[in-house]
DNA sequence: TCAATAATAAATAAGAGTGATTTATTTATT
DNA sequence: AATAAATAAATCACTCTTATTTATTATTGA
C-alpha cells in the first residue's frame, strides 16, 4: 500500500499502567518487531532463516517479510547460490526505511543528530553554551530541525519516525554547579521540554535520562548487541549509567534506573563517597584546575586531549578503582554478562581506563559472584545523542523496546 | 472438558534461547495467565472488571473465564447487588484448583511444604541435620511426598502442578563451613538433585536459589504484590536476596541475580567486606559463641529466640547499617520502589531490624537517588519453602513468570 | 564429459483453524 | 426508563498445515 508514509501512534489506548491483554494485531506487531530485530542483529537474513530462528511457520514469515518489504523497511539482496536447493534471498534493513532524530542536552553543549534506519549518522549539529537554558535549547532545536530536514527529500522527510531527547535526570539539580543563575535552573524545573519540542514536530517525541540513552545506543548500534544483559557506564562531565536486561533497555519505573553515578563507593579516607566524585571528567578538570592547568579542551576536544601527564594517570587509576567497586556491587544485584564503559574521552584514554578497571575488579573480594567481563563501549563520544535517536527506533521497530524505561511520548490515534 | 487433570508440559518446543514468535495459542495462554494474575492480586473480580482492566473485549473475557471455571481454576461467588444494572458475579481462585510442593534445602534442615492454589499451607514436614547430604535429602523427599499426598484425595492428587526446590546457589561452596566431610560436599557438586527428585514425581520439578525463591513467595503470597518492583533480603544463616522487576521475579541469566550477600559494604575497619559478614545470623551466632553463649536455638526456634541481650542489640545495629548501605547501592542500579527484609528470626527482631535499617538509610548520602521505602517481609521464616512452591505456580499460572529466572524444569510434550 | 534424473531447499498459494472483536440480545437491577 | 453484566452469533485477523512451484546441487550412466 502506502509505503511512503510512516504512521505514528499506538495501536491501542495503552492507558493501563500495568497489564494489558493481547490480541491478533498485538501478535502481528510482536512478530514484525521480532523480524526487524533479528535482521538488524544479523545484518541480513533470508525468510527461511527467520522461520528457523523464530519457530514461526515459513508461510507466516513470508507474509510478514513481504509486507515489511512493501512498507519500505526491508530490501532484498543478491540471492545466495552454492548450496543445494533454491538459492535463498537475504533481506536487509532499507537504510531509507526510517529516520530518527536524537537530541542531547548536556552541561556545556547540545547536539542534534539525524540517523537512518541502519543507525548511520546523516547529519549532526552542535550548539555550545556555558550553561543550558530552555529558550535557547528550543530555538536550537527549531532551527536545527529545519536544517536537518532540508537535507532529506520529501519521501525521506515523511519517514522520520520520531525524536528522542537525552537529558540528565533532574537537570535543574546540578545546573547551578555549572554557574547558572537560579532563574535558569527553575525554568528547567518547571518547563516540560518534551512538550515544547513536541510542538515543533509532527512525529512523537521521547525523553530519557542521558546515560540510559547512551546505553541504548550501545545496545542498538554498538557491538554489545550480542550481550543479553550488561551494565553500562558513561563517563562525561558527570558519571551515569544504564542497564540492559534480557536484550531490553531497562529505564526503571521512575526513569532513574542505572543511576550509577550515585553508587556509594569507598572514598579516599575510607568513608563512603559517590562514584561521581571519583569517576567523572569534572573531577579530572578540578584536579587540573587546582594545578593551574587550563582544561576547557576536555570539553571541546573529546577526540584528542593532547598530553595531560601524571594527573591523567592518577585520575585513571582512581576512577578505575571506583568503577571496579561499582561493577562488583552492581553484579551482586544483577548477574550481568558484561560491564561496558564509554564516555566523553579519547579512545586511547577509554582503552587505558577499561584495562585499569579490569585489573581493579580482580582485586575485589567477589566470592559468591560471577563477575562480568569489562569491555570498552563501541559507540563513543556521541553515544548520548545517538541514544536519543535510538529511543523512537526501539519504541517503534524493536522487540522489548522501551516499555519499561519510563520513556514518555505523546499518544496519537491511528488514522482510519 | 476434563477439569480433573492438570496437564504438564510446554506448548512448544521452546528450544530457542532467545527470540520466539507468537501464535494464537501463545496469545490465549498469555491472556489466561493475565486473568489469573489479576484475580489472585485482587482476591476476586467480575468478568466485566477484568475486561476493563485488560482492555480485552467483554466477550473474550467471558469465554476465557468460563473456560477457567470449567477447568476448576475459578469459582463464582455470590452476585454483588446494590448497583445499577445486572449484578456482577465476582470470580475467585478455587483453592483446590491446583496444588504445589515446595522443598527448601538449608544448612541445618530441610522443609517440604504442600500449598493450595491460594497459597495456604496444607501440610508441612521438617527434617533436621548437622549438614545436608544428597542421599538423606532424596530419601526425605521420597517419604515426605508420600505423606503429603496421602492427605489429598484422588482428584486433588491429580492436580499437583509441580515441585520447586529452593537451595543456596552452589551449595557445595559453603557446606564445608558447616563442618561437612569433603565427600559430602563433592556429592552435592556432582549430583543433579533436580533430576533425582524429578524421578520421584510425575509433575515438573524446578530449582532455584533459596533467597530468590523467598522473594518469589513474598511477591506471590505476601503483601508486596502491589509493588511493581522491589529488592528483597532474606537473612538466614547467611544473607541472600531477590529482585522483582515490573511484577516479575528476576532470577538472572545465570540464576544468580540478587546475590546481595556478596554485596561489598564498608567493614568495621573501613575496608570493604561483604554484606554476609555483617548481616547474617551466622555472625550473631559467632558473636554469642565467642561470649560462651550456646546459640543453637537460633536455628531451632526461629519464632522465639528468648532473651539474648546486648549482643542482639549490637548485631541489629551493625546488620542494619550494612543492609542500609546495600539498599542504597542496589537503588543506584535499579530504582526500586521498596526494599523488603525478611528472615529466619522472630517477628519482633525483624521489626526492630527493619526500623533500624530505615533510620540507617537516612544517614547515607543518596543524592541523585529516589530511595525505596524499607518494609518488613510478610511471609516469614518459611519464605524459602513457600517460594519453592511458588515456582511451579508462577511458571504455570502467572504472567511474566519465571522465564528469566534461570529456573529449570523438565520438558514434556503435551498429550495430543 | 555431458545430459538426464534425483535430492534438497526456498518460497508461496490455498484452505483450515483459532481466537479476539463487533453487534445484537437477554437479563437483572436501580 | 436507564444502566450494566453477560453472552450468542457473525465477522475479522492472523498463524498453521498442506500442497505446489521453482531453482539449485548431487548423482548416475552412457
Amino acid at each position: 500500500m502506502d509505503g511512503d508514509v510512516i504512521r505514528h501512534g499506538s495501536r491501542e489506548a495503552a492507558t493501563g499502567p500495568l497489564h494489558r491483554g493481547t490480541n491478533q494485531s498485538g501478535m502481528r506487531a510482536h512478530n514484525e518487531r521480532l523480524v526487524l530485530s533479528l535482521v538488524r542483529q544479523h545484518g541480513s537474513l533470508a525468510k527461511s532463516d527467520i522461520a528457523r530462528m523464530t519457530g514461526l511457520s515459513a508461510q507466516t514469515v513470508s507474509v510478514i517479510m513481504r509486507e515489511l518489504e512493501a512498507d519500505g523497511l526491508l530490501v532484498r539482496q543478491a540471492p545466495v547460490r552454492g548450496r543445494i536447493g533454491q538459492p535463498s534471498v537475504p533481506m536487509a534493513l532499507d537504510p531509507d526505511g526510517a529516520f530518527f532524530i536524537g537530541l542531547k542536552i548536556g552541561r556545556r553543549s547540545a547536539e542534534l543528530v539525524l540517523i537512518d534506519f541502519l543507525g548511520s549518522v546523516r547529519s549532526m549539529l552542535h550548539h555550545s553554551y556555558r550553561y543550558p537554558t530552555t529558550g535557547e535549547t528550543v530555538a536550537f532545536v527549531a532551527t536545527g530541525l529545519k536544517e536537518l530536514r532540508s537535507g532529506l527529500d520529501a519521501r525521506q522527510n515523511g519517514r522520520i519516525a520520531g525524536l528522542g531527547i537525552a537529558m540528565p535526570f533532574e537537570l535543574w539539580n546540578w545546573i547551578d554547579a555549572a554557574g547558572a543563575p537560579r532563574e535558569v535552573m527553575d525554568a528547567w524545573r518547571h518547563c516540560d521540554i518534551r512538550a515544547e519540542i513536541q510542538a515543533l514536530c509532527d512525529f512523537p517525541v521521547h525523553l530519557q535520562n542521558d546515560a540510559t540513552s547512551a546505553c541504548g545506543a550501545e545496545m542498538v548500534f554498538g557491538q554489545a548487541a550480542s550481550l543479553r544483559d550488561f551494565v553500562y557506564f558513561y563517563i562525561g562531565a558527570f558519571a551515569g549509567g544504564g542497564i540492559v536486561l534480557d536484550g531490553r533497555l531497562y529505564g526503571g519505573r521512575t526513569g532513574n534506573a542505572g543511576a550509577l553515578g550515585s553508587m556509594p563507593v569507598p572514598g579516599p579516607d575510607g568513608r563512603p563517597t559517590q562514584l561521581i566524585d571519583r569517576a567523572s571528567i569534572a573531577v579530572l578538570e578540578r584536579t587540573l584546575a587546582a594545578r593551574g592547568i587550563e582544561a576547557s579542551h576536555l570539553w571541546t576536544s573529546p577526540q584528542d586531549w593532547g598530553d595531560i601527564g601524571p594527573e591523567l594517570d592518577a585520575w585513571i587509576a582512581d576512577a578505575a578503582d571506583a568503577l571496579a567497586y561499582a561493577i562488583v556491587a552492581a553484579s551482586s544485584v544483577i548477574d550481568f554478562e558484561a560491564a561496558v564503559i564509554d564516555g566523553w574521552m579519547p579512545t586511547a584514554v577509554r582503552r587505558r581506563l577499561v584495562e585499569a578497571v579490569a585489573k581493579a575488579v580482580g582485586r575485589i573480594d567477589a566470592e559468591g559472584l560471577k563477575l562480568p567481563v569489562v569491555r570498552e563501549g563501541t559507540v563513543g563520544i556521541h553515544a548520548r545523542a545517538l541514544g536519543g535517536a535510538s529511543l523512537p527506533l526501539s519504541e517503534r521497530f524493536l522487540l522489548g523496546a522501551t516499555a519499561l524505561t519510563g520513556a514518555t511520548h505523546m499518544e496519537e490515534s491511528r488514522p482510519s
Side-chain angles (χ1 to χ4, degrees), chain A:
Chain A
M1 346 266 118
D2 190 352
D4 282 9
V5 166
I6 287 202
R7 280 191 284 278
H8 306 294
S10 59
R11 67 181 174 88
E12 275 174 8
T15 51
L18 261 152
H19 300 295
R20 308 288 305 173
T22 310
N23 55 17
Q24 288 100 324
S25 46
M27 179 168 69
R28 166 58 75 97
H30 172 91
N31 289 339
E32 281 181 4
R33 284 156 181 267
L34 176 57
V35 167
L36 289 172
S37 299
L38 287 170
V39 171
R40 177 175 301 276
Q41 204 176 107
H42 291 85
S44 71
L45 288 170
K47 298 186 175 84
S48 50
D49 295 325
I50 299 271
R52 273 188 295 267
M53 297 168 100
T54 59
L56 294 170
S57 71
Q59 176 61 8
T60 297
V61 173
S62 182
V63 169
I64 289 174
M65 291 186 82
R66 229 178 315 153
E67 193 179 293
L68 291 174
E69 187 186 6
D71 283 354
L73 297 174
L74 293 180
V75 281
R76 53 181 61 219
Q77 302 195 298
V80 173
R81 295 162 206 280
R83 281 175 302 188
I84 298 179
Q86 175 157 326
S88 64
V89 180
M91 308 209 56
L93 300 180
D94 186 339
D96 275 13
F99 296 86
F100 310 92
I101 298 172
L103 168 66
K104 169 221 131 185
I105 304 176
R107 183 193 174 197
R108 301 290 294 263
S109 68
E111 290 173 3
L112 202 56
V113 63
L114 172 73
I115 65 171
D116 64 23
F117 202 30
L118 289 177
S120 305
V121 174
R122 293 295 181 99
S123 41
M124 188 167 216
L125 301 171
H126 288 265
H127 179 61
S128 292
Y129 37 66
R130 284 212 307 129
Y131 50 80
T133 67
T134 54
E136 222 179 311
T137 302
V138 173
F140 166 60
V141 173
T143 58
L145 278 179
K146 282 204 195 79
E147 193 171 333
L148 292 182
R149 301 189 75 158
S150 70
L152 298 180
D153 63 32
R155 180 175 187 280
Q156 292 170 326
N157 251 295
R159 297 182 76 85
I160 298 178
L163 183 152
I165 308 171
M167 197 173 89
F169 187 70
E170 297 187 348
L171 178 74
W172 47 89
N173 280 338
W174 55 262
I175 243 186
D176 53 349
R182 184 166 184 78
E183 315 87 74
V184 170
M185 195 167 109
D186 281 345
W188 281 107
R189 189 193 306 273
H190 299 114
C191 159
D192 183 348
I193 189 73
R194 197 204 62 76
E196 303 242 346
I197 290 173
Q198 178 70 74
L200 304 172
C201 305
D202 47 356
F203 36 75
V205 174
H206 306 253
L207 173 68
Q208 193 169 58
N209 183 301
D210 57 348
T212 299
S213 297
C215 179
E218 188 68 41
M219 182 185 72
V220 178
F221 306 126
Q223 316 221 284
S226 60
L227 298 169
R228 251 189 66 169
D229 38 56
F230 61 91
V231 55
Y232 176 92
F233 295 84
Y234 188 90
I235 311 299
F238 299 131
I243 304 292
V244 168
L245 299 175
D246 205 46
R248 292 168 173 78
L249 186 62
Y250 189 81
R253 185 179 41 90
T254 66
N256 202 28
L260 299 164
S262 298
M263 168 82 79
V265 296
D269 55 353
R271 292 191 39 230
T273 179
Q274 290 194 326
L275 178 68
I276 202 171
D277 298 322
R278 289 184 62 190
S280 65
I281 294 175
V283 171
L284 175 59
E285 184 193 33
R286 255 179 273 139
T287 311
L288 292 173
R291 298 269 197 294
I293 304 170
E294 218 287 305
S296 66
H297 63 291
L298 293 180
W299 313 122
T300 53
S301 173
Q303 296 90 343
D304 183 10
W305 281 352
D307 199 13
I308 294 188
E311 286 83 5
L312 179 62
D313 303 338
W315 177 79
I316 288 179
D318 194 60
D321 262 1
L323 281 166
Y325 191 89
I327 288 171
V328 173
S331 300
S332 67
V333 180
I334 307 280
D335 52 344
F336 292 109
E337 194 173 348
V340 178
I341 299 173
D342 208 336
W344 185 261
M345 63 184 77
T347 53
V349 174
R350 185 179 68 190
R351 195 180 56 249
R352 287 182 57 198
L353 179 64
V354 167
E355 282 167 4
V357 170
K359 277 195 195 126
V361 163
R363 290 194 293 267
I364 298 177
D365 176 15
E367 203 185 322
L369 297 178
K370 292 188 180 166
L371 288 179
V373 297
V374 182
R375 280 206 199 178
E376 277 187 74
T378 52
V379 175
I381 51 176
H382 298 304
R384 290 170 295 183
L386 285 165
S390 80
L391 263 178
L393 167 58
S394 297
E395 180 73 23
R396 273 291 307 268
F397 298 111
L398 298 186
L399 207 61
T402 51
L404 312 174
T405 60
T408 52
H409 76 102
M410 178 149 270
E411 299 286 351
E412 297 176 30
S413 60
R414 165 169 257 166
S416 102

